[in-house]
């Protein structure tokens, strides 16, 4: 038997354990957005003047910008004045015990194997002990310290490593980039900071788990990862949010910087609340993620599994600046019911001999609409640069849609760009074949979908791959029969 | 074990099965032959529970249980196995992973304890050897890029793994090379027992030399028009189907008078 399968099996039976997890809670404050809000946030966090000035620049840019209109869906009205922008550390308990929580939500948690304390947290139940692994955390922290690796919240990094923050924050995604990035610059709450020193291979996966707890809050986290020359890091980001009837805004910014010979692997499993079957509620996920391969042979890869959110608007991109640098983008995006995903990547080949590979797998079910949008640009100096793009769509049922928008621009005639695209439907024949072997329709779809997404799921660290597989099945539950 | 009584079925409003009667007892092997388009695969599909067929009349019982009331996956778990005439490809789903899922569903249904990874592995090895199925193929994606013959052999490997009560093999012999036919037949002979039964749909008498049937039936125009022993297959090989067709239409015209 395949080694993979045995390993997967064992992992599926194992407790959920990440090498290192920081939980970042976001809670509620006054509603509304103006210069005072920005000042208030900065003051609450005791920030230095230069950071407040930068936030203000972001706010001014935000005021001048229009909402994007090029996407393949109607941009919802977002009332920026009805959102709360400050994240207080404490949270209000919504329920006294788990018995009061919607059983459907609990069933989901159970299927995902989320531990009880975390289940309570997600559902908004009062929890006495938030995380019981403090000692474990310290052990890891010590180990990382010895290697010179910095892994902390952005707020702490501002205090403890201001020189790094000042040098790199906003250096990949400028404060003027787009309306959501500008907004994030003005009001970002917190996020993760990673620095890997020269020549160091980070010995464990670093991970952050984001969640949105309070009502009427937006979430604006900011992540900055710097891999110095010849270093390596694999970073995971998990997202989830409790069910709410109203829409919530999530506008994060992620910046990655890979120096000469360095490699950054960034994996996301996004499971924000998608809204109910009729499309009520759910997260509006407008995220700007960008990585820069600054030096020769630098490498960045984005892997994303997007199962949640009412709307996903997200194009992790890569600037291939150093010669021989390379970028990869692996994506699975699922839309079921009324979900919308407009996602893809942008890869800018600036240096010579740069290489990129894009594998995108869209899955649409219900009335879900899934668009892939990919830009591959070969600059004038991108001699012998190469890109390969494979973009597949899988349809389940007749009411959903899949759309592909590849944009290709080449200013160097030695560069090569290859693009392959397929659209397929889950066949009745395939489902019947599996039924005939004792597998019910729901599980049949899950098997077929996981098979289809295999090339991308294989890129995820093992623990995440298992969770992602379960999420795919959960998201598609009820999409047949 | 299997009892089919006056089974009528339509597809897209057209009657395909026109009153099938068949009794299959445990331990027996039945062969079904008949010209192209006579309804052999349709019968197999109806037994397996394919939804695009509408049952208009008749009953099907499997060990006293009403088969027609069950969903396809329940029929499978109850022990009905169909080796498809045209097995489908499912990209990215590993053959072994798929079998593991199938077997575990079937075992749950039969109140058997789950197999450990080790036990499963052992069983896989044994069954692979029994039907001489290449390990290399077992580890690939389900039927993806398999040759015609490899797909057929995979059906038999799955049959061996899932240990059904009633196996229906729809032209599993066509597409197999001479050696493969012998190997597959040997495998099936080893799987035969007093507790299971086989229905072999085939066009070729040759298969029946390897797996000797207890009964041979001829399906024509949605009905079983003749049943006999293995000699009937030899007779068909020699004479073709025309004499049966004529006889059948003769009867029909007589009936009309
Ligand atoms: N989806 C369908 N729509 C219309 N007619 C169908 C459909 N499926 C099968 N039929 C018809 O039903 C009849 C019986 O087909 P079936 O596949 O059962 O024949 P068969 O005996 O298995 O033939 P063969 O020996 O060629 O495999 C044929 O006339 C076929 O065209
Ligand atoms: Mg047929």
């Amino acid at each position: 038997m395949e080694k993979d399968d045995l390993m997967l099996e064992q992992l599926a039976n194992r407790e959920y354990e990440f090498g290192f997890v920081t939980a970042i809670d976001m809670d509620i404050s006054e509603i509304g957005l103006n210069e005072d809000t920005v000042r208030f946030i900065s003051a609450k966090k005791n920030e230095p003047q230069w950071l407040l000035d930068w936030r203000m620049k972001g706010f001014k840019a935000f005021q001048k910008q229009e909402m994007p209109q090029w996407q393949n869906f109607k941009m919802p009205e977002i009332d920026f004045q009805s959102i709360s922008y400050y994240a207080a550390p404490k949270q209000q308990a919504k329920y006294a015990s788990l018995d009061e929580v919607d059983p459907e939500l609990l069933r989901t948690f159970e299927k995902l194997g989320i531990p009880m304390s975390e289940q309570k947290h997600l559902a908004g139940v009062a929890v006495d002990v938030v995380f019981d692994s403090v000692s474990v955390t310290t052990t890891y922290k010590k180990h990382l310290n010895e290697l010179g690796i910095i892994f902390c919240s952005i707020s702490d990094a501002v205090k403890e490593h201001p020189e790094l923050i000042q040098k790199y924050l906003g250096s990949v995604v400028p404060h003027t980039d787009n309306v959501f990035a500008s907004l994030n610059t003005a009001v970002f709450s917190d996020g993760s900071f990673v620095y890997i020193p020269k020549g160091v291979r980070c010995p464990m996966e670093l991970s952050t788990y984001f969640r949105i707890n309070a009502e009427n809050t937006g979430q604006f986290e900011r992540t900055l990862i710097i891999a110095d020359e010849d270093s390596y890091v694999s970073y995971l980001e998990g997202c989830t949010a409790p069910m709410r009837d109203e829409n919530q805004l999530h506008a994060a910014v992620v910046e990655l910087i890979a120096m000469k010979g360095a490699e950054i692997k960034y994996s996301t499993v996004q499971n924000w609340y998608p809204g109910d079957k009729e499309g009520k509620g759910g997260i509006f996920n407008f995220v700007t993620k960008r990585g820069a391969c600054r030096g020769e042979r630098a490498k960045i890869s984005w892997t994303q599994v997007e199962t949640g959110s009412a709307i996903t608007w997200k194009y992790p991109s890569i600037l291939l600046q150093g010669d021989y640098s390379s970028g990869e983008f692996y994506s699975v995006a699922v839309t079921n019911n009324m979900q919308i995903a407009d996602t893809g990547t942008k890869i800018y080949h600036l240096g010579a001999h740069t290489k990129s590979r894009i594998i995108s797998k869209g899955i649409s079910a219900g009335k879900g609409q899934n668009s892939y949008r990919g830009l591959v640009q070969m600059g004038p100096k991108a001699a012998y640069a190469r890109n390969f793009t494979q973009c597949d769509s899988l349809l389940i049922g007749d009411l959903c849609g899949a759309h592909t928008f590849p944009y290709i621009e080449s200013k160097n005639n030695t560069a090569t760009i290859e693009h392959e695209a397929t659209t397929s439907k889950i066949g009745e024949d395939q489902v019947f074949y599996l039924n005939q072997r004792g597998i019910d329709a729901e599980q049949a779809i899950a098997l077929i979908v996981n098979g289809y997404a295999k090339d991308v799921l294989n890129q995820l660290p093992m623990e995440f791959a298992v969770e992602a597989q379960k999420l795919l099945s959960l998201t598609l539950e009820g999409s047949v029969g | 074990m299997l009892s089919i009584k006056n089974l009528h079925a339509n597809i897209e409003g057209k009657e395909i099965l026109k009153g099938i009667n068949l009794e299959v007892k445990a331990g027996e092997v039945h062969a079904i032959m008949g010209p192209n388009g006579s309804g052999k695969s349709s019968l197999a599909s109806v037994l397996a529970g394919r939804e695009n067929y509408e049952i208009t009349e008749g009953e099907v019982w499997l060990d006293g249980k009403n088969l027609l009331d069950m969903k396809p996956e329940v029929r499978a778990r109850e022990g009905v196995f169909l080796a498809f005439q045209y097995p489908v490809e499912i990209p990215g789903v590993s053959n072994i992973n798929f079998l593991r899922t199938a077997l575990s569903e079937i075992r749950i249904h039969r109140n058997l304890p789950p197999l450990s990874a080790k036990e499963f592995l052992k069983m896989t090895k044994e069954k692979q050897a029994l039907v001489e199925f290449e390990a290399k193929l077992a580890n690939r994606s389900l039927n993806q890029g398999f040759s015609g013959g490899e797909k057929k052999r995979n059906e038999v490997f799955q049959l061996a793994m899932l240990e059904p009560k009633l196996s229906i093999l729809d032209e599993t012999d066509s597409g197999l090379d001479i050696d493969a036919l012998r190997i597959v037949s040997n495998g099936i002979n080893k799987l035969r027992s007093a507790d299971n039964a086989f229905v072999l749909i085939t066009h070729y008498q040759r298969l029946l030399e390897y797996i000797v049937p207890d009964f041979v039936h001829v399906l024509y125009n949605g009905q079983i028009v003749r049943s006999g022993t293995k000699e009937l297959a030899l007779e068909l090989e020699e004479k073709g189907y025309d004499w049966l067709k004529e006889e059948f239409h003769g009867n029909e015209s007589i009936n009309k008078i």
Side-chain angles (χ1 to χ4, degrees), chain A residues 207-271:
Chain A
S207 92
T208 302
Y209 196 59
F210 293 112
R211 56 186 165 227
I212 300 179
N213 285 320
E215 288 177 52
N216 305 319
T217 6
Q219 179 159 321
F220 308 96
E221 76 281 342
R222 184 115 200 162
T223 303
L224 176 60
I225 298 178
I226 304 153
D228 217 327
E229 291 181 12
D230 298 314
S231 68
Y232 167 84
V233 64
S234 166
Y235 181 89
L236 321 172
E237 172 199 277
C239 319
T240 190
M243 290 158 108
R244 305 272 186 226
D245 287 344
E246 74 280 359
N247 296 109
Q248 284 177 288
L249 178 63
H250 176 245
V253 172
V254 176
E255 296 176 281
L256 310 182
I257 297 159
M259 303 302 192
K260 195 175 122 196
E263 178 176 354
I264 303 176
K265 269 183 79 128
Y266 193 106
S267 313
T268 308
V269 174
Q270 183 263 111
N271 182 34

Side-chain angles (χ1 to χ4, degrees), chain B residues 143-162:
Chain B
N143 291 334
Q144 195 184 7
F146 281 29
S147 74
E150 286 169 344
K151 284 181 184 167
K152 295 299 180 69
R153 294 188 65 170
N154 195 14
E155 296 293 288
V156 177
F157 170 56
Q158 292 175 31
L159 190 162
M161 287 293 292
L162 303 181

Side-chain angles (χ1 to χ4, degrees), chain A residues 219-404:
Chain A
Q219 179 159 321
F220 308 96
E221 76 281 342
R222 184 115 200 162
T223 303
L224 176 60
I225 298 178
I226 304 153
D228 217 327
E229 291 181 12
D230 298 314
S231 68
Y232 167 84
V233 64
S234 166
Y235 181 89
L236 321 172
E237 172 199 277
C239 319
T240 190
M243 290 158 108
R244 305 272 186 226
D245 287 344
E246 74 280 359
N247 296 109
Q248 284 177 288
L249 178 63
H250 176 245
V253 172
V254 176
E255 296 176 281
L256 310 182
I257 297 159
M259 303 302 192
K260 195 175 122 196
E263 178 176 354
I264 303 176
K265 269 183 79 128
Y266 193 106
S267 313
T268 308
V269 174
Q270 183 263 111
N271 182 34
W272 299 118
Y273 177 54
D276 68 10
K277 291 192 177 75
E278 276 71 51
K280 191 165 182 229
I283 303 289
F284 291 156
N285 190 31
F286 294 90
V287 174
T288 309
K289 293 187 167 185
R290 193 171 305 151
C293 286
R294 294 253 161 104
E296 265 175 43
R297 290 175 291 102
K299 182 173 175 187
I300 286 178
S301 74
W302 297 104
T303 303
Q304 58 173 30
V305 176
E306 306 283 324
T307 64
S309 296
I311 299 176
T312 300
W313 180 97
K314 177 174 172 185
Y315 317 90
S317 36
I318 305 174
L319 298 158
L320 297 171
Q321 297 168 309
D323 291 349
Y324 295 95
S325 63
S326 61
E328 290 171 351
F329 174 76
Y330 297 99
S331 170
V332 177
V334 192
T335 53
N336 194 4
N337 298 320
M338 306 292 280
Q339 278 178 280
I340 295 169
D342 197 300
T343 183
T345 184
K346 289 184 267 184
I347 299 191
Y348 303 92
H349 289 256
L350 303 170
H353 298 279
T354 47
K355 244 183 6 191
S356 65
R357 180 178 160 87
I358 299 171
I359 308 284
S360 162
K361 303 267 180 178
I363 301 162
S364 322
K367 293 180 184 160
Q369 294 295 323
N370 212 320
S371 302
Y372 168 81
R373 193 179 298 281
L375 167 73
V376 177
Q377 204 179 59
M378 300 293 182
K381 291 190 187 135
Y384 305 102
R386 276 183 295 147
N387 160 263
F388 173 76
T389 300
Q390 185 184 329
C391 174
D392 298 330
S393 309
L394 184 69
L395 303 173
I396 305 172
D398 298 320
L399 303 172
C400 54
H403 319 272
T404 304

Side-chain angles (χ1 to χ4, degrees), chain B residues 29 126-133 153 156-157 159-160 169 172-173 176-193 196 198 200 206-212:
Chain B
V29 174
E126 282 167 11
K127 303 293 183 176
Q128 268 172 15
L130 188 74
V131 297
E132 295 185 37
F133 190 66
R153 294 188 65 170
V156 177
F157 170 56
L159 190 162
L169 286 81
T172 303
D173 54 333
L176 292 181
D177 67 44
I178 300 160
D179 293 334
L181 180 64
R182 186 175 32 79
I183 292 165
V184 162
S185 304
N186 282 344
I188 289 170
N189 282 330
K190 282 183 226 156
L191 292 169
R192 283 178 69 173
S193 80
N196 63 20
F198 288 81
L200 310 175
R206 178 176 202 116
L207 173 73
L208 307 180
E209 282 174 10
Y210 289 112
I211 310 171
V212 182

Side-chain angles (χ1 to χ4, degrees), chain A residues 61-354:
Chain A
F62 167 72
Q63 285 177 306
K64 282 191 219 127
Q65 266 158 330
E66 301 281 327
M67 294 289 265
Q69 294 303 339
W70 41 261
Q71 64 280 343
N72 191 33
F73 60 89
K74 194 175 168 295
M75 186 60 83
E77 289 286 329
I78 299 174
D79 181 0
F80 291 101
Q81 294 306 334
S82 70
I83 298 171
S84 165
Y85 292 87
Y86 177 62
K90 270 198 137 179
Q91 73 153 354
Q92 285 272 298
K94 198 172 171 199
Y95 308 103
S97 82
L98 270 180
D99 303 340
E100 297 168 34
V101 177
D102 187 332
E104 196 176 327
L105 185 61
L106 292 181
R107 202 170 58 89
T108 308
F109 289 159
E110 214 150 276
K111 284 204 174 178
L112 282 175
I114 293 174
M116 203 51 128
S117 61
E118 187 63 6
Q119 286 190 25
K120 289 184 179 177
H121 211 111
L122 290 170
V125 175
V127 193
D128 349 17
V129 191
V130 180
F131 278 122
D132 44 16
S133 57
V134 181
S135 54
V136 180
T137 307
T138 347
T139 323
Y140 280 134
K141 263 223 154 106
K142 199 166 151 251
H143 187 37
L144 294 176
N145 272 340
E146 282 164 8
L147 292 167
I149 293 171
I150 306 168
F151 179 36
C152 62
S153 69
I154 285 267
S155 308
D156 287 349
V158 168
K159 292 193 186 80
E160 286 157 35
H161 309 280
E163 70 298 340
L164 288 174
I165 299 291
Q166 232 173 327
K167 185 166 173 194
Y168 292 111
L169 192 68
S171 73
V172 187
V173 179
H175 65 276
T176 49
D177 195 79
N178 67 74
V179 64
F180 299 105
S182 299
L183 178 64
N184 178 287
T185 304
V187 301
F188 75 89
S189 33
D190 211 334
S192 297
F193 175 76
V194 176
Y195 174 80
I196 314 288
K198 276 185 195 170
V200 171
R201 253 192 101 81
C202 185
M204 63 190 76
E205 315 272 357
L206 301 182
S207 92
T208 302
Y209 196 59
F210 293 112
R211 56 186 165 227
I212 300 179
N213 285 320
E215 288 177 52
N216 305 319
T217 6
Q219 179 159 321
F220 308 96
E221 76 281 342
R222 184 115 200 162
T223 303
L224 176 60
I225 298 178
I226 304 153
D228 217 327
E229 291 181 12
D230 298 314
S231 68
Y232 167 84
V233 64
S234 166
Y235 181 89
L236 321 172
E237 172 199 277
C239 319
T240 190
M243 290 158 108
R244 305 272 186 226
D245 287 344
E246 74 280 359
N247 296 109
Q248 284 177 288
L249 178 63
H250 176 245
V253 172
V254 176
E255 296 176 281
L256 310 182
I257 297 159
M259 303 302 192
K260 195 175 122 196
E263 178 176 354
I264 303 176
K265 269 183 79 128
Y266 193 106
S267 313
T268 308
V269 174
Q270 183 263 111
N271 182 34
W272 299 118
Y273 177 54
D276 68 10
K277 291 192 177 75
E278 276 71 51
K280 191 165 182 229
I283 303 289
F284 291 156
N285 190 31
F286 294 90
V287 174
T288 309
K289 293 187 167 185
R290 193 171 305 151
C293 286
R294 294 253 161 104
E296 265 175 43
R297 290 175 291 102
K299 182 173 175 187
I300 286 178
S301 74
W302 297 104
T303 303
Q304 58 173 30
V305 176
E306 306 283 324
T307 64
S309 296
I311 299 176
T312 300
W313 180 97
K314 177 174 172 185
Y315 317 90
S317 36
I318 305 174
L319 298 158
L320 297 171
Q321 297 168 309
D323 291 349
Y324 295 95
S325 63
S326 61
E328 290 171 351
F329 174 76
Y330 297 99
S331 170
V332 177
V334 192
T335 53
N336 194 4
N337 298 320
M338 306 292 280
Q339 278 178 280
I340 295 169
D342 197 300
T343 183
T345 184
K346 289 184 267 184
I347 299 191
Y348 303 92
H349 289 256
L350 303 170
H353 298 279
T354 47

